[in-house]
Amino acid sequence: MSDVADKLSYFQAITGLQDIDLCKEILSAHGWDLEQAISSFTTSNSDDNDPSTTSSVANVVGTSDDAIDRYERLAMVNNRGAGPPGLAWKIITLPISIISGSLGLVSGAIGLGLWVVGGVLSYSLGVIGLNSSRRNVESSSAPLVSAMAAASEAMRFVSIFERAYGDRHPNFVPDSFMDALQRSRREFKLMFVYLHSPDHPDTTSFCEETLCSEVLSAFINENFVAWGGSIRASEGFKMSNSLKASRFPFCAVVMAATNQRIALLQQVEGPKSPEEMLTMLQRVLEESSPVLIAARLDAEERRNTIRLREEQDAAYQAALEADQARERQKKEEEERVAREVAEAERREKEEEKARERAACEAAEREAELVKLREAKGLALGAEPEKGPDVTQVLVRLPNGERKGRRFHCSAKVQCLYDFIDSCSDSLEIGNYSLATNFPRVLYGPEKLSFTLKEAGLHPQVSLYVELNS
């Protein structure tokens, strides 16, 4: 912790001192070496009946009478009503191989570290015992224990334990140490640690009579997250070194602290009866329950705050999306109306052009028809005078109008059609046929090349126009 503010905050959390100036003086006197300062403070506190305590600290801090007075007042508050030994605290630095085995330590320990800062250390514990020896990180050259390998070791331990002692025992989680610690953090429980020494003479009796007793195992399962490991396995061996296990059977109660460390709340070394174990665990749980409850309530409050914020964000998002949908719908409607108006204008222009084009084409066709009729009329030549070789032709039109003319008997039947085309504007050229009534003879395209005489129309004939269907 290189940052001055972090060191100051951490020193206050560990020692329970509230006077910032005094904390600064103590840390400054130790060259801002956090562990030395904490060690000096807790060593002085452990000798509450030793008259030399205050003067020793005064020498560390300086000769300031004000500083001495402040420290004495705080020492009195810290040691007030100590009575029987309270919950023993040690801050244990985990081996890097244990930390590396589960990457969730950094984020997970922060939440549990709030328990320490929030109240466990400031809770009315009796004597606060902080291990003054430096717990350095284990050699980084040791082989890393991956999370999968550690979990495999834990599952193997549970399997071997059940084969040896049966199914009634604390529910050891089949996870690595750090994953189990994370689980205890999530469940707001303390963590019960059992280090198993298969070769120790007291192990069998302790497991059968104490650890597997119905009352104790039920209490542990209800109130703790239990983790067990054999000291023959890699992670169990490393944890025995970290916890400084000197006697077996070995049990401990821990919780996560900050900066890749765990807080050792209670350790039990050597054989104990179920009643003794139960009494110690109940005391640890009783003294820690205010902090656990506060942490749980704080987490619930944070969850409620997050949920409320999420609901507000969701409501805002829904309102925003509704506004955007309305705006989008309005814009789409405006665009649709504009497209319809543009389409209507385009169609109207096209229709207008089509009408103009049709009118122009009709005028051109009409002009061509007029020219054609005039050309056919000119092609007939002058009407011949009556004579033996002249045929008199009378044609009745569909509208009742009659047209008559004289033709030379050698003229073709086509000349009769040219005559009708030239003198009648009501008939469409090529859309009718000429015929006689009695007998009915149709003079169609096959007879157009016949002369009037050859067609039997000489010397005179009365024809009518029959429109083609």
Side-chain angles (χ1 to χ4, degrees), residues 78-237:
N78 285 337
N79 292 318
R80 182 182 302 163
L87 199 61
W89 278 80
K90 293 183 182 178
I91 302 300
I92 307 297
T93 301
L94 294 176
I96 189 64
S97 56
I98 298 294
I99 296 168
S100 301
S102 177
L103 297 178
L105 171 66
V106 176
S107 60
I110 293 174
L112 280 170
L114 294 177
W115 298 4
V116 180
V117 177
V120 171
L121 289 176
S122 61
Y123 185 69
S124 297
L125 304 175
V127 177
I128 300 179
L130 185 65
N131 190 358
S132 60
S133 63
R134 297 177 61 88
R135 307 303 177 93
N136 295 326
V137 175
E138 297 289 331
S139 172
S140 60
S141 63
L144 296 182
V145 181
S146 67
M148 185 176 298
S152 177
E153 288 181 4
M155 288 188 287
R156 186 162 54 252
F157 166 76
V158 174
S159 176
I160 295 173
F161 191 93
E162 288 182 346
R163 284 200 303 269
Y165 305 108
D167 296 334
R168 189 179 66 189
H169 57 77
N171 293 332
F172 298 114
V173 293
D175 300 325
S176 68
F177 180 87
M178 289 312 305
D179 287 342
L181 196 64
Q182 285 284 59
R183 178 181 296 198
S184 70
R185 180 185 68 85
R186 290 192 300 269
E187 297 179 6
F188 299 100
K189 291 183 178 181
L190 302 179
M191 182 170 166
F192 176 82
V193 178
Y194 170 63
L195 296 180
H196 185 72
S197 177
D199 300 325
H200 196 278
D202 295 326
T203 295
T204 300
S205 60
F206 177 77
C207 291
E208 292 177 347
E209 299 172 7
T210 300
L211 202 57
C212 294
S213 70
E214 182 176 358
V215 175
L216 181 61
S217 59
F219 182 78
I220 293 175
N221 292 337
E222 181 180 356
N223 298 285
F224 296 85
V225 171
W227 181 87
S230 172
I231 61 173
R232 289 182 177 177
S234 177
E235 192 168 38
F237 177 74

